[in-house]
Amino acid sequence: MDFHDEIRIGQHTYGVKARGEPAGEGQPAGVAVEFTGADADGRVVAEGTLLIAVDGLGDAGAFLIRTLDGLAALHAPWSNGRGRSRPRPPNAGRAWTDSDGELLRERWLSALGDSAGRLAGELAEELGRTRAAVRAQLPRLGCDPDLPGRALGRS
């Protein structure tokens, strides 16, 4: 098994190469993963190699996600005043545009039967807002924030 992928995110380009490693003396079959990252000038911003047993890939993936998310939160440029927090959504604190308000209202009112929490999360992600900002904006648009598909004033 050989795998190679590369992606550009912001000013950085990240690459990953993975290859299967056969079982050896006292070692289970595994996957060797080589990770690299560089900025626009070609300076290395990330690099490393891991050897992970095939039967541990799922657990190792979950552990790496948790670890990297935690490290990113420690170094996030934004904090809510109570210590470190997740990075702010891109539109947090910005005024709502008419088009974003229309999209939010249309999607909320057409989502009959959806869970309010799940839908608020989806819309927050799509609009670059927090769930709280989405829920706070809904009544201003005439929508019941507790029940997707229902306008305020309707029972």
Side-chain angles (χ1 to χ4, degrees), residues 52-72:
I52 305 170
V54 170
D55 63 351
L57 282 170
D59 292 341
F63 174 73
L64 286 170
I65 288 168
R66 190 170 120 190
T67 301
L68 292 172
D69 280 349
L71 290 170

Side-chain angles (χ1 to χ4, degrees), residues 117-135:
R118 188 189 61 73
L119 183 58
E122 284 179 14
L123 290 166
E125 180 76 24
E126 184 177 335
L127 295 166
R129 305 281 180 169
T130 63
R131 282 179 191 234
V134 166
R135 288 187 54 83

Side-chain angles (χ1 to χ4, degrees), residues 3-152:
F3 173 81
H4 174 75
D5 196 14
E6 189 173 284
I7 186 169
R8 183 161 180 82
I9 302 173
Q11 296 297 315
H12 298 102
T13 301
Y14 295 96
V16 65
K17 293 179 185 176
R19 70 180 182 286
E21 295 288 328
E25 213 174 290
Q27 291 283 91
V31 176
V33 180
E34 181 183 324
F35 179 77
T36 59
D39 66 13
D41 295 325
R43 288 184 298 243
V44 174
V45 297
E47 67 179 332
T49 303
L50 297 170
L51 181 57
I52 305 170
V54 170
D55 63 351
L57 282 170
D59 292 341
F63 174 73
L64 286 170
I65 288 168
R66 190 170 120 190
T67 301
L68 292 172
D69 280 349
L71 290 170
L74 286 173
H75 297 280
W78 175 78
S79 169
N80 63 6
R82 296 182 308 240
R84 305 262 191 233
S85 184
R86 290 185 187 149
R88 256 177 115 163
N91 293 322
R94 291 187 178 151
W96 283 79
T97 65
D98 290 341
S99 62
D100 282 352
E102 289 172 25
L103 173 75
L104 176 59
R105 185 174 199 286
E106 179 182 305
R107 291 275 307 280
W108 192 264
L109 292 177
S110 67
L112 206 54
D114 271 344
S115 153
R118 188 189 61 73
L119 183 58
E122 284 179 14
L123 290 166
E125 180 76 24
E126 184 177 335
L127 295 166
R129 305 281 180 169
T130 63
R131 282 179 191 234
V134 166
R135 288 187 54 83
Q137 188 67 12
L138 287 166
R140 296 179 185 121
L141 300 170
C143 301
D144 184 335
D146 296 320
L147 189 61
R150 186 168 81 182
L152 283 177

